[in-house]
Structure formats: C-alpha cells, structure tokens
Amino acid sequence: FFFSSRRRHTRSASVSWARRCVQETGTWGLSNYMDITVSSVEESVFLAKVAEQAERYEDMLIFLKPVLQKKGELAMDERNLVSVAYKNLSGNKRTAWRALTAIEENPKYTKYHEKTKTYKKKIEEELKVICKDAIKAIDDNLLKNATSAESKVFYLKMKADYYRYTGEVCTGTELTEVSDKALENYEAAKKQAETLPATDPVRIGLILNFSVFQYEIRKNPKEACAMAKAAFDEAISGLQDLDEDKYKDSTAIMQLLKDNLTLWTSELEEGEEAEKKQFLINFTQISN
C-alpha cells in the first residue's frame, strides 16, 4: 500500500522552489535544488513515488528529470507520474488564482484591490511558468518518443490542457493565441483517438477536457454539450467488455461527463428561458 494512489487531489506546493529555479536558470532549473543524485530511471521512478506520497510535487519533477530525458516511449507508470507532478503543481496555482479572483471581486475588499491585483499577477506568472515547462517537456521529448496511439492522445491532450490552464488567466490577444493552440492540440488528439475504442479511458478523458475547454474558454456551451453527450453515448454500450481496472477508470470519467452535462444543460435551458422572456418584453415595448 506504500504507493497507493493520491493522484487526483490538488494539494499545496511550495512556491520557493519555483521562484528560485526561475531566478537562477530562467526555467525549472532542476539540477541545483538538492544533493540527492539520481543515477537511473529506476531510482527516478522510486523517488518520484516517495515524493508523491509526501505531497512534494516540485520534488517529483526534480526526481523525474532522467525519465523526462530518456530515449524511447515512457512506460505508463512513468507517464502518469509526470502527469501527476505537473497537474498538482499547476492545480495549486489555479486554485489560488480563483480564490484571489473571488476576493478581488468582493466589494468588501475594494480598498485592497491594488495589492490583491499585484498578488494575483504573481500567481498568474507562476502558473504560466509551470504550463510553459510542461508544454516544452512534451514537445522536446515525450510526444516525439510516443509510438502507441494511446500515448500520442495522452500527450496531445496534456499539451492542450496546459494551453487551456494558461488561457484561464489570460485576456485579449494572449487568450486568443493560447486558446487557438489548445484547440489545435485537442483536435489533433481527438483525431488520433478515433483509433482507440470508445470506452478507452484516455479517449473519454480527452473528450471530458475538450468539452470543458469548449464551455469555459471558447464559450461554446452547445458544442460542449454535444461533444460530451456523444462520447457518453458511444462508451456506454461497450462498458461490459472492459477489464476491471479500465471499467473503473472509464465509468469514473463518464460520471464526470454526466455531471457536466446535467449542469450545462440546466444552464442552457435557463439561458434560453431568459432570452424568451426578454424577447417578449422587447416585443411588448415595440408594440406599445
């Protein structure tokens, strides 16, 4: 049980490591942080799992450096560790950014607006550094060495996700640019995923995130709903043929799809009802 999974939780991570690495090297400088020398991929994976248990996600990336640089396709366990490290580091920043946004928009704290705005900007920059580093790791090595369709989908989706996370804290031209890059990679992943079974958890997870992107970043709720519903309907009929592990993974993601669909459909219906009422009000005013 020592390496029991805790990978879906977003935990707090130290910002000092990120700040120090950026100051000293201009990127995620992984070599000067600690005195532990990792001499093999096997040691790298072991120490990364230890760091995960300790919820030290910044240390996970340090220990995973040999994995990120190795030749050949990553094993699934290695791939998941890389994903977990980046996901939790970015998740901490995204949670912090949302909390500060809520405080910034609260009229009670107007007098602190400038200080809050400055603090929020700092967190935005830290998130962008993490996202940029994740995308670079994928482009430099991970995607190039991917040979299986599932791995290619995984990395294209991951790359799109980090453009999406960047887009969450951007506006204007910058938002347009990262949104277009996210869309490009989601589309590429979706095309590649057509070779996978409709029940494959990587394929379903792709559509889950792609639909969230359409809803939250592209502001296209109808497309998000259509995409999520189609994936759910395609997968539901083949679940009985899956082994136990894939069944659990796929049904968990499908439940998230269903939850999103319920929420989004309700919001769409409320919006359409409000539009109808406004139309009747406008029509009555014109008639009078």
Side-chain angles (χ1 to χ4, degrees):
F1 69 81
F2 181 66
F3 292 134
S4 61
S5 176
R6 304 168 78 165
R7 295 175 182 172
R8 300 200 176 198
H9 298 280
T10 299
R11 302 294 187 187
S12 70
S14 169
V15 300
S16 60
W17 174 77
R19 183 164 54 249
R20 176 179 171 182
C21 290
V22 172
Q23 288 173 346
E24 293 181 356
T25 68
T27 183
W28 294 96
L30 306 181
S31 59
N32 299 321
Y33 179 68
M34 60 175 68
D35 295 329
I36 300 175
T37 301
V38 181
S39 58
S40 68
V41 169
E42 181 182 355
E43 282 186 357
S44 174
V45 170
F46 174 80
L47 289 170
K49 289 179 177 179
V50 172
E52 181 188 5
Q53 287 293 303
E55 300 183 12
R56 295 277 297 180
Y57 302 108
E58 64 276 25
D59 293 347
M60 282 186 74
L61 275 184
I62 297 171
F63 292 135
L64 285 169
K65 189 176 181 181
V67 172
L68 290 169
Q69 295 178 339
K70 85 171 201 176
K71 296 179 180 179
E73 185 169 15
L74 266 59
M76 184 176 293
D77 193 36
E78 296 167 348
R79 186 183 77 186
N80 288 340
L81 286 169
V82 171
S83 177
V84 167
Y86 279 118
K87 182 71 173 177
N88 280 280
L89 281 174
S90 61
N92 169 258
K93 309 301 180 188
R94 294 169 70 208
T95 300
W97 186 87
R98 286 191 290 265
L100 279 170
T101 298
I103 294 169
E104 187 181 31
E105 294 173 352
N106 192 325
K108 288 169 58 179
Y109 307 117
T110 303
K111 67 178 181 179
Y112 304 113
H113 178 77
E114 288 304 316
K115 296 294 184 183
T116 306
K117 184 178 179 180
T118 301
Y119 189 24
K120 184 173 138 179
K121 184 67 176 176
K122 175 180 178 294
I123 293 171
E124 287 176 10
E125 294 306 317
E126 289 177 354
L127 175 59
K128 288 177 183 178
V129 168
I130 295 170
C131 292
K132 184 178 179 180
D133 191 72
I135 292 167
K136 187 176 186 301
I138 295 166
D139 282 340
D140 286 354
N141 201 38
L142 301 179
L143 187 55
K144 289 179 182 178
N145 291 327
T147 56
S148 68
E150 185 184 63
S151 290
K152 291 176 183 177
V153 173
F154 185 93
Y155 292 127
L156 285 166
K157 168 193 164 293
M158 184 176 170
K159 186 177 173 182
D161 286 341
Y162 284 92
Y163 278 122
R164 172 165 63 91
Y165 301 156
T166 304
E168 291 175 350
V169 300
C170 291
T171 58
T173 303
E174 188 179 8
L175 172 58
T176 301
E177 290 176 356
V178 295
S179 176
D180 288 346
K181 289 178 180 178
L183 180 62
E184 177 186 344
N185 283 277
Y186 278 131
E187 290 285 8
K190 187 181 179 188
K191 183 176 181 180
Q192 183 71 53
E194 291 173 0
T195 62
L196 301 177
T199 52
D200 188 281
V202 172
R203 175 172 170 170
I204 304 172
L206 162 66
I207 300 303
L208 172 67
N209 288 18
F210 195 176
S211 62
V212 170
F213 166 76
Q214 289 285 6
Y215 191 88
E216 294 185 349
I217 304 297
R218 301 294 278 200
K219 308 301 181 185
N220 193 349
K222 290 184 179 180
E223 178 62 25
C225 288
M227 186 183 296
K229 186 177 186 306
F232 186 91
D233 291 344
E234 288 173 6
I236 194 80
S237 60
L239 287 176
Q240 67 276 7
D241 299 325
L242 294 177
D243 61 43
E244 184 177 354
D245 288 339
K246 281 200 170 184
Y247 179 87
K248 289 179 179 178
D249 289 341
S250 295
T251 52
I253 301 169
M254 288 174 69
Q255 183 60 54
L256 294 175
L257 276 174
K258 186 176 180 181
D259 292 344
N260 284 349
L261 267 174
T262 300
L263 175 63
W264 295 343
T265 302
S266 175
E267 291 179 352
L268 274 175
E269 290 173 351
E270 290 175 3
E272 289 172 356
E273 187 63 30
E275 287 179 3
K276 289 179 182 177
K277 289 181 180 178
Q278 187 60 48
F279 173 79
L280 290 174
I281 291 172
N282 293 341
F283 182 78
T284 302
Q285 290 173 345
I286 293 171
S287 300
N288 292 338

